[in-house]
Short mmCIF file of all heavy atoms in Angstrom, two decimals:
data_model
loop_
_atom_site.label_atom_id
_atom_site.label_comp_id
_atom_site.label_asym_id
_atom_site.label_seq_id
_atom_site.Cartn_x
_atom_site.Cartn_y
_atom_site.Cartn_z
N ASN A 214 20.53 -23.98 245.91
CA ASN A 214 19.66 -23.01 246.58
C ASN A 214 18.44 -22.64 245.74
O ASN A 214 17.69 -21.73 246.10
CB ASN A 214 20.45 -21.74 246.89
CG ASN A 214 21.59 -22.00 247.87
OD1 ASN A 214 21.42 -22.77 248.81
ND2 ASN A 214 22.73 -21.37 247.63
N ASP A 220 23.40 -12.09 235.88
CA ASP A 220 24.10 -11.56 234.72
C ASP A 220 25.39 -12.36 234.54
O ASP A 220 26.17 -12.53 235.49
CB ASP A 220 24.44 -10.08 234.90
CG ASP A 220 23.19 -9.22 234.86
OD1 ASP A 220 22.31 -9.50 234.03
OD2 ASP A 220 23.09 -8.26 235.66
N LYS A 227 32.41 -13.06 216.53
CA LYS A 227 31.94 -12.36 215.34
C LYS A 227 32.53 -12.98 214.08
O LYS A 227 33.57 -13.64 214.13
CB LYS A 227 32.30 -10.87 215.41
CG LYS A 227 31.52 -10.11 216.48
CD LYS A 227 31.72 -8.60 216.36
CE LYS A 227 30.84 -7.86 217.35
NZ LYS A 227 30.98 -6.38 217.22
N LEU A 256 48.00 -15.78 207.33
CA LEU A 256 48.75 -15.84 206.07
C LEU A 256 50.04 -16.63 206.22
O LEU A 256 50.43 -17.39 205.33
CB LEU A 256 49.04 -14.42 205.58
CG LEU A 256 47.81 -13.60 205.16
CD1 LEU A 256 48.20 -12.16 204.87
CD2 LEU A 256 47.12 -14.22 203.94
N ASP A 272 43.95 -3.97 205.97
CA ASP A 272 42.96 -2.94 206.25
C ASP A 272 41.70 -3.60 206.81
O ASP A 272 41.10 -4.45 206.14
CB ASP A 272 42.63 -2.17 204.96
CG ASP A 272 41.67 -1.02 205.21
OD1 ASP A 272 41.52 -0.61 206.37
OD2 ASP A 272 41.08 -0.53 204.23
N LYS A 281 46.73 -7.14 201.13
CA LYS A 281 47.43 -7.14 199.85
C LYS A 281 48.78 -7.82 200.04
O LYS A 281 49.54 -7.45 200.93
CB LYS A 281 47.63 -5.72 199.33
CG LYS A 281 46.35 -5.03 198.89
CD LYS A 281 46.63 -3.65 198.32
CE LYS A 281 45.34 -2.97 197.88
NZ LYS A 281 45.59 -1.60 197.34
N GLN A 285 54.86 -11.77 194.17
CA GLN A 285 55.62 -13.02 194.19
C GLN A 285 55.11 -13.98 195.26
O GLN A 285 55.39 -15.17 195.23
CB GLN A 285 57.12 -12.76 194.41
CG GLN A 285 57.46 -12.09 195.73
CD GLN A 285 57.56 -10.59 195.60
OE1 GLN A 285 56.85 -10.00 194.80
NE2 GLN A 285 58.44 -9.98 196.37
N GLY A 288 49.31 -16.65 195.57
CA GLY A 288 49.11 -17.90 194.87
C GLY A 288 49.97 -19.04 195.37
O GLY A 288 49.85 -20.17 194.89
N ILE A 293 54.70 -27.60 203.49
CA ILE A 293 55.36 -27.67 204.79
C ILE A 293 56.78 -28.17 204.60
O ILE A 293 57.00 -29.23 204.00
CB ILE A 293 54.58 -28.60 205.74
CG1 ILE A 293 53.20 -28.01 206.04
CG2 ILE A 293 55.36 -28.83 207.04
CD1 ILE A 293 52.31 -28.91 206.86
N GLU A 303 63.56 -27.10 228.44
CA GLU A 303 63.44 -27.86 229.67
C GLU A 303 61.97 -28.17 229.95
O GLU A 303 61.07 -27.39 229.62
CB GLU A 303 64.02 -27.07 230.85
CG GLU A 303 65.53 -27.06 230.91
CD GLU A 303 66.02 -26.51 232.24
OE1 GLU A 303 65.28 -26.62 233.24
OE2 GLU A 303 67.13 -25.98 232.27
N ASP A 309 55.80 -24.11 232.75
CA ASP A 309 55.63 -22.69 233.06
C ASP A 309 54.77 -21.99 232.01
O ASP A 309 53.93 -21.14 232.33
CB ASP A 309 56.99 -21.99 233.15
CG ASP A 309 57.76 -22.38 234.41
OD1 ASP A 309 57.17 -23.00 235.32
OD2 ASP A 309 58.97 -22.07 234.48
N GLY A 325 35.00 -18.32 230.51
CA GLY A 325 35.25 -19.74 230.32
C GLY A 325 35.10 -20.17 228.87
O GLY A 325 35.03 -21.37 228.58
N SER A 362 56.43 -8.32 215.76
CA SER A 362 57.39 -7.78 216.73
C SER A 362 58.82 -8.21 216.43
O SER A 362 59.73 -7.92 217.21
CB SER A 362 57.01 -8.24 218.14
OG SER A 362 55.74 -7.76 218.51
N ALA A 385 51.71 -24.69 213.05
CA ALA A 385 53.00 -24.58 213.73
C ALA A 385 54.15 -24.87 212.77
O ALA A 385 55.18 -24.19 212.78
CB ALA A 385 53.04 -25.54 214.92
N ALA A 386 53.97 -25.89 211.94
CA ALA A 386 55.03 -26.28 211.01
C ALA A 386 55.29 -25.20 209.97
O ALA A 386 56.44 -24.85 209.68
CB ALA A 386 54.66 -27.59 210.33
N LEU A 392 58.71 -26.83 218.29
CA LEU A 392 57.98 -27.56 219.33
C LEU A 392 56.61 -26.94 219.52
O LEU A 392 56.47 -25.72 219.59
CB LEU A 392 58.76 -27.53 220.65
CG LEU A 392 58.22 -28.37 221.82
CD1 LEU A 392 59.37 -28.85 222.73
CD2 LEU A 392 57.20 -27.60 222.67
N SER A 395 50.63 -28.64 224.36
CA SER A 395 49.27 -28.35 224.81
C SER A 395 48.98 -29.12 226.09
O SER A 395 49.56 -30.18 226.33
CB SER A 395 48.25 -28.73 223.73
OG SER A 395 46.93 -28.52 224.20
N ALA A 397 46.08 -30.20 226.37
CA ALA A 397 45.01 -31.06 225.86
C ALA A 397 45.59 -32.24 225.08
O ALA A 397 46.79 -32.46 225.05
CB ALA A 397 44.06 -30.23 224.99
N MET A 400 45.68 -35.41 218.29
CA MET A 400 44.89 -36.21 217.36
C MET A 400 45.86 -37.01 216.48
O MET A 400 46.99 -36.59 216.24
CB MET A 400 44.02 -35.31 216.48
CG MET A 400 43.04 -34.43 217.25
SD MET A 400 41.68 -35.34 218.02
CE MET A 400 42.22 -35.42 219.73
N GLU A 408 55.50 -35.88 213.12
CA GLU A 408 56.59 -36.82 212.85
C GLU A 408 57.21 -36.54 211.48
O GLU A 408 58.44 -36.47 211.34
CB GLU A 408 56.06 -38.25 212.91
CG GLU A 408 57.11 -39.33 212.72
CD GLU A 408 58.04 -39.45 213.91
OE1 GLU A 408 57.55 -39.45 215.05
OE2 GLU A 408 59.26 -39.53 213.68
N GLY A 411 59.14 -33.10 211.46
CA GLY A 411 60.25 -32.90 212.38
C GLY A 411 59.94 -32.02 213.57
O GLY A 411 60.86 -31.47 214.20
N VAL A 415 54.16 -32.17 222.16
CA VAL A 415 53.97 -32.45 223.59
C VAL A 415 52.50 -32.25 223.93
O VAL A 415 51.94 -31.18 223.63
CB VAL A 415 54.84 -31.53 224.47
CG1 VAL A 415 54.62 -31.84 225.95
CG2 VAL A 415 56.31 -31.66 224.11
N GLY A 428 59.74 -36.24 218.45
CA GLY A 428 60.85 -35.32 218.65
C GLY A 428 61.28 -35.16 220.10
O GLY A 428 61.56 -34.04 220.55
N LEU A 434 64.92 -32.96 230.60
CA LEU A 434 64.38 -33.14 231.94
C LEU A 434 64.93 -32.07 232.88
O LEU A 434 66.11 -31.73 232.83
CB LEU A 434 64.72 -34.52 232.49
CG LEU A 434 64.11 -35.72 231.74
CD1 LEU A 434 64.55 -37.02 232.40
CD2 LEU A 434 62.59 -35.62 231.74
#
Side-chain angles (χ1 to χ4, degrees):
N214 297 321
D220 290 321
K227 291 190 175 182
L256 293 172
D272 184 17
K281 290 183 180 179
Q285 62 266 33
I293 295 175
E303 284 191 26
D309 288 348
S362 298
L392 186 150
S395 177
M400 301 289 102
E408 183 71 45
V415 180
L434 295 180

